[in-house]
């Protein structure tokens, strides 16, 4: 296998290599520019080349009370939404995998639908539902909005792992006298642990930087992405906004990176065991 992979890589055409490099540049140069302009001495414009370099905007950003309030709210919402997603996403995946019932395919489709719909559609639907039930906008309405798509991420990861499990393991556990809790703890949980971890990390990252659904469910509250969006209309705060955007990139990069690594390692170990 390694020799085949190496020979394929050696035969890659210049056009394929150029296309790959072009795609990477297209995706990541804008992120580099955000990082670059976090150090500019220019307060109002995006002039290039930079007139000078400074780190003072990091100090300015860290002393903004409204920034810390928005960051704290975003972290709290992301953590709680991820916990809800882990619980309900796992239960839904187990129900779809282990049970045969009328409308199973329709239920599976409806579970995945929220992440397939445009965010503005989900936001309008949630705002209409909350308004109809006279539920005031609060911290919990933001959590509910984020959980609608975070559950899907965990559900997809756990269901895929369930489908790769051997059902005979669960049957053997019960035949040996284990109850449902023991079977879950010693058989099911070790098999789906990496899927839960990867799904949870991805759900946290998606919740932390969500904007559209939050706009419709937050009321007067401001999460960090909403705070960044509101700062864009203030030219003198542009370097501070770039600093905060850099922090957001770093915070969301780590869970996505580790989720991808965990998923890849889980797939490699399963492939090796087979």
């Amino acid at each position: 296998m390694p020799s085949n992979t190496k020979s394929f890589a050696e035969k890659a055409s210049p056009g394929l290599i150029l296309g790959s490099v072009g795609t990477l540049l297209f995706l990541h140069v804008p992120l580099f520019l955000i990082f670059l302009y976090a150090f500019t001495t220019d307060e109002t414009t995006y002039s290039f080349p930079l007139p000078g370099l400074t780190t003072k905007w990091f100090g300015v950003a860290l002393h903004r009370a409204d920034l810390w309030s928005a960051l704290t709210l975003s972290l709290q919402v992301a953590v709680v939404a991820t916990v809800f997603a882990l619980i309900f996403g796992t239960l839904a995946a187990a129900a779809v995998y282990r049970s045969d019932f009328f409308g199973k395919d329709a239920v599976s489709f409806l579970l995945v639908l929220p992440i397939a719909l445009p965010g503005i559609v989900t936001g309008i639907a949630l705002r209409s539902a909350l308004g109809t039930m006279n539920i005031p906008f609060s911290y919990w309405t933001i959590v509910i909005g984020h959980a609608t798509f975070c559950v899907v991420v965990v559900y997809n990861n756990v269901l895929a792992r369930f489908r790769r499990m051997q059902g005979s393991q669960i049957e053997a556990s019960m035949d040996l006298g284990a109850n449902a809790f023991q079977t879950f703890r010693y058989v099911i949980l070790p098999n789906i642990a990496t899927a839960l971890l990867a799904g949870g990390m991805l759900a946290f990252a998606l919740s932390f930087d969500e904007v559209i659904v939050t706009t419709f469910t937050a009321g007067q509250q401001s999460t960090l992405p909403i705070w960044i969006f509101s700062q864009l209309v203030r030219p003198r705060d542009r370097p501070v906004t770039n600093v905060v955007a850099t922090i957001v990139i770093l915070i969301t990069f780590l869970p996505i990176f580790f989720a991808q690594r965990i998923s890849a390692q889980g797939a490699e170990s399963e492939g090796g065991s087979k």
Side-chain angles (χ1 to χ4, degrees):
M1 180 67 72
S3 60
N4 294 337
T5 304
K6 183 177 180 181
S7 62
F8 177 79
E10 290 174 349
K11 295 178 182 178
S13 65
L16 181 60
I17 296 174
L18 183 62
S20 299
V21 173
T23 301
L24 290 173
L25 291 175
F26 176 78
L27 292 174
H28 296 292
V29 165
L31 300 181
F32 172 75
L33 291 177
I34 290 176
F35 177 79
L36 181 65
Y37 282 107
F39 295 92
T40 183
T41 55
D42 192 343
E43 296 185 1
T44 58
T45 64
Y46 289 102
S47 58
F48 189 86
L50 272 63
L53 296 175
T54 181
T55 58
K56 76 172 185 178
W57 304 117
F58 287 84
V60 173
L62 294 177
H63 286 86
R64 292 280 297 268
D66 55 342
L67 166 61
W68 284 107
S69 177
L71 176 60
T72 301
L73 179 60
S74 287
L75 290 173
Q76 290 175 344
V77 169
V79 169
V80 177
T82 300
V83 171
F84 282 169
L86 288 171
I87 295 173
F88 293 112
T90 303
L91 292 175
V96 170
Y97 172 72
R98 293 287 296 171
S99 305
D100 288 321
F101 52 89
F102 177 76
K104 178 178 177 178
D105 292 338
V107 170
S108 182
F109 172 76
L110 291 174
L111 284 168
V112 178
L113 187 61
I115 205 169
L117 290 173
I120 192 169
V121 175
T122 303
I124 292 173
L126 286 169
R127 189 175 185 89
S128 299
L130 294 171
T132 300
M133 293 183 287
N134 294 320
I135 298 177
F137 296 107
S138 65
Y139 164 83
W140 290 107
T141 58
I142 305 176
V143 171
I144 292 172
H146 288 201
T148 57
F149 54 84
C150 288
V151 167
V152 181
V153 175
V154 176
Y155 169 79
N156 282 334
N157 276 271
V158 176
L159 183 60
R161 186 59 54 85
F162 272 135
R163 287 172 174 168
R164 293 198 294 266
M165 279 182 59
Q166 297 181 0
S168 58
Q169 293 178 329
I170 299 175
E171 296 172 358
S173 175
M174 293 183 174
D175 288 341
L176 292 172
N179 57 35
F181 177 76
Q182 291 171 326
T183 299
F184 175 78
R185 179 180 178 184
Y186 295 109
V187 178
I188 298 176
L189 186 58
N191 278 280
I192 67 172
T194 55
L196 287 173
L197 188 57
M201 287 182 174
L202 186 56
F204 177 89
L206 291 175
S207 173
F208 184 80
D209 64 4
E210 211 293 318
V211 176
I212 300 176
V213 173
T214 309
T215 302
F216 287 93
T217 57
Q220 300 300 316
Q221 300 180 95
S222 177
T223 60
L224 189 59
I226 298 297
W227 182 90
I228 293 175
F229 188 75
S230 68
Q231 297 299 305
L232 294 178
V233 298
R234 302 177 182 178
R236 297 187 66 84
D237 287 341
R238 283 176 179 171
V240 176
T241 306
N242 288 324
V243 168
V244 178
T246 301
I247 295 173
V248 171
I249 292 172
L250 294 176
I251 292 176
T252 55
F253 168 80
L254 293 176
I256 293 175
F257 172 78
F258 286 117
Q260 190 275 335
R261 294 291 298 171
I262 291 169
S263 298
Q265 290 174 0
E268 289 175 0
S269 62
E270 289 178 4
S273 64
K274 293 179 181 178

